[in-house]
Short mmCIF file of all heavy atoms in Angstrom, two decimals:
data_model
loop_
_atom_site.label_atom_id
_atom_site.label_comp_id
_atom_site.label_asym_id
_atom_site.label_seq_id
_atom_site.Cartn_x
_atom_site.Cartn_y
_atom_site.Cartn_z
N LEU A 113 -23.18 -18.74 12.95
CA LEU A 113 -24.43 -18.39 13.63
C LEU A 113 -24.60 -19.21 14.91
O LEU A 113 -24.99 -18.67 15.96
CB LEU A 113 -25.62 -18.61 12.70
CG LEU A 113 -25.82 -17.57 11.62
CD1 LEU A 113 -26.95 -17.98 10.68
CD2 LEU A 113 -26.13 -16.21 12.23
N TRP A 114 -24.33 -20.52 14.82
CA TRP A 114 -24.47 -21.38 16.00
C TRP A 114 -23.49 -20.98 17.10
O TRP A 114 -23.86 -20.90 18.27
CB TRP A 114 -24.29 -22.84 15.62
CG TRP A 114 -24.39 -23.73 16.81
CD1 TRP A 114 -23.37 -24.32 17.48
CD2 TRP A 114 -25.57 -24.10 17.49
NE1 TRP A 114 -23.85 -25.04 18.54
CE2 TRP A 114 -25.20 -24.92 18.57
CE3 TRP A 114 -26.92 -23.81 17.30
CZ2 TRP A 114 -26.12 -25.47 19.44
CZ3 TRP A 114 -27.83 -24.36 18.17
CH2 TRP A 114 -27.44 -25.17 19.23
N ALA A 115 -22.25 -20.71 16.73
CA ALA A 115 -21.25 -20.32 17.73
C ALA A 115 -21.61 -19.00 18.38
O ALA A 115 -21.48 -18.84 19.60
CB ALA A 115 -19.86 -20.24 17.07
N THR A 116 -22.09 -18.06 17.59
CA THR A 116 -22.50 -16.77 18.15
C THR A 116 -23.69 -16.94 19.09
O THR A 116 -23.72 -16.36 20.19
CB THR A 116 -22.85 -15.78 17.02
OG1 THR A 116 -21.74 -15.68 16.14
CG2 THR A 116 -23.21 -14.42 17.55
N ALA A 117 -24.67 -17.74 18.67
CA ALA A 117 -25.84 -17.98 19.52
C ALA A 117 -25.45 -18.72 20.80
O ALA A 117 -25.95 -18.42 21.88
CB ALA A 117 -26.90 -18.76 18.76
N TYR A 118 -24.52 -19.66 20.69
CA TYR A 118 -24.08 -20.43 21.86
C TYR A 118 -23.36 -19.53 22.86
O TYR A 118 -23.57 -19.65 24.08
CB TYR A 118 -23.16 -21.57 21.40
CG TYR A 118 -22.79 -22.52 22.50
CD1 TYR A 118 -23.69 -23.49 22.92
CD2 TYR A 118 -21.55 -22.45 23.13
CE1 TYR A 118 -23.36 -24.38 23.93
CE2 TYR A 118 -21.21 -23.33 24.14
CZ TYR A 118 -22.12 -24.29 24.55
OH TYR A 118 -21.80 -25.16 25.55
N LEU A 119 -22.54 -18.61 22.34
CA LEU A 119 -21.83 -17.70 23.24
C LEU A 119 -22.76 -16.65 23.85
O LEU A 119 -22.56 -16.21 24.98
CB LEU A 119 -20.69 -17.01 22.49
CG LEU A 119 -19.52 -17.91 22.10
CD1 LEU A 119 -18.52 -17.14 21.25
CD2 LEU A 119 -18.84 -18.46 23.35
N ALA A 120 -23.77 -16.24 23.09
CA ALA A 120 -24.68 -15.20 23.58
C ALA A 120 -25.84 -15.78 24.40
O ALA A 120 -26.57 -15.03 25.04
CB ALA A 120 -25.24 -14.40 22.40
N SER A 121 -26.02 -17.09 24.38
CA SER A 121 -27.19 -17.70 25.04
C SER A 121 -27.27 -17.43 26.54
O SER A 121 -28.38 -17.19 27.04
CB SER A 121 -27.24 -19.20 24.75
OG SER A 121 -26.13 -19.84 25.31
N PRO A 122 -26.19 -17.45 27.30
CA PRO A 122 -26.35 -17.14 28.73
C PRO A 122 -26.85 -15.72 28.97
O PRO A 122 -27.68 -15.49 29.86
CB PRO A 122 -24.94 -17.32 29.30
CG PRO A 122 -24.23 -18.22 28.36
CD PRO A 122 -24.81 -17.91 27.02
N LEU A 124 -28.71 -13.97 26.95
CA LEU A 124 -30.07 -13.81 26.41
C LEU A 124 -31.08 -14.74 27.07
O LEU A 124 -32.28 -14.66 26.79
CB LEU A 124 -30.06 -14.04 24.90
CG LEU A 124 -29.21 -13.05 24.09
CD1 LEU A 124 -29.15 -13.49 22.64
CD2 LEU A 124 -29.76 -11.64 24.21
N GLY A 125 -30.59 -15.66 27.89
CA GLY A 125 -31.51 -16.58 28.58
C GLY A 125 -31.94 -17.75 27.72
O GLY A 125 -32.95 -18.40 28.03
N TRP A 126 -31.24 -18.04 26.66
CA TRP A 126 -31.57 -19.18 25.79
C TRP A 126 -30.94 -20.43 26.38
O TRP A 126 -29.87 -20.40 26.97
CB TRP A 126 -31.04 -18.97 24.38
CG TRP A 126 -31.63 -17.82 23.63
CD1 TRP A 126 -32.76 -17.13 23.92
CD2 TRP A 126 -31.09 -17.22 22.47
NE1 TRP A 126 -32.97 -16.14 23.02
CE2 TRP A 126 -31.95 -16.17 22.10
CE3 TRP A 126 -29.96 -17.44 21.68
CZ2 TRP A 126 -31.73 -15.37 21.00
CZ3 TRP A 126 -29.74 -16.65 20.58
CH2 TRP A 126 -30.62 -15.63 20.24
N HIS A 127 -31.60 -21.54 26.17
CA HIS A 127 -31.06 -22.82 26.63
C HIS A 127 -30.71 -23.67 25.41
O HIS A 127 -31.50 -24.49 24.95
CB HIS A 127 -32.08 -23.55 27.53
CG HIS A 127 -32.34 -22.82 28.80
ND1 HIS A 127 -31.43 -22.79 29.84
CD2 HIS A 127 -33.39 -22.04 29.21
CE1 HIS A 127 -31.90 -22.05 30.82
NE2 HIS A 127 -33.09 -21.59 30.47
N ILE A 128 -29.50 -23.46 24.91
CA ILE A 128 -29.05 -24.25 23.76
C ILE A 128 -27.81 -25.06 24.11
O ILE A 128 -27.03 -25.42 23.24
CB ILE A 128 -28.80 -23.37 22.51
CG1 ILE A 128 -27.80 -22.26 22.80
CG2 ILE A 128 -30.08 -22.80 21.98
CD1 ILE A 128 -27.39 -21.48 21.57
N GLU A 129 -27.68 -25.38 25.39
CA GLU A 129 -26.57 -26.23 25.79
C GLU A 129 -26.87 -27.67 25.36
O GLU A 129 -27.96 -27.99 24.93
CB GLU A 129 -26.29 -26.14 27.29
CG GLU A 129 -27.45 -26.57 28.16
CD GLU A 129 -28.45 -25.45 28.45
OE1 GLU A 129 -28.19 -24.29 28.12
OE2 GLU A 129 -29.49 -25.77 29.02
N SER A 130 -25.89 -28.54 25.48
CA SER A 130 -25.98 -29.91 24.97
C SER A 130 -27.14 -30.69 25.58
O SER A 130 -27.85 -31.41 24.88
CB SER A 130 -24.68 -30.66 25.23
OG SER A 130 -23.61 -30.02 24.58
N ALA A 131 -27.34 -30.55 26.87
CA ALA A 131 -28.40 -31.32 27.55
C ALA A 131 -29.77 -30.96 27.01
O ALA A 131 -30.62 -31.84 26.77
CB ALA A 131 -28.34 -31.07 29.05
N SER A 132 -30.03 -29.68 26.79
CA SER A 132 -31.35 -29.29 26.28
C SER A 132 -31.53 -29.69 24.81
O SER A 132 -32.63 -30.03 24.39
CB SER A 132 -31.58 -27.80 26.47
OG SER A 132 -30.63 -27.06 25.74
N MET A 133 -30.43 -29.70 24.04
CA MET A 133 -30.51 -30.14 22.64
C MET A 133 -30.80 -31.63 22.55
O MET A 133 -31.60 -32.07 21.73
CB MET A 133 -29.21 -29.83 21.89
CG MET A 133 -28.94 -28.35 21.68
SD MET A 133 -30.03 -27.66 20.42
CE MET A 133 -31.08 -26.64 21.43
N VAL A 134 -30.16 -32.41 23.42
CA VAL A 134 -30.40 -33.86 23.45
C VAL A 134 -31.84 -34.14 23.87
O VAL A 134 -32.52 -35.00 23.28
CB VAL A 134 -29.39 -34.56 24.40
CG1 VAL A 134 -29.79 -36.01 24.67
CG2 VAL A 134 -28.00 -34.48 23.82
#
Side-chain angles (χ1 to χ4, degrees):
L113 285 174
W114 178 258
T116 304
Y118 187 78
L119 291 174
S121 64
L124 298 173
W126 297 343
H127 294 286
I128 56 173
E129 61 273 352
S130 299
S132 61
M133 292 287 110
V134 169

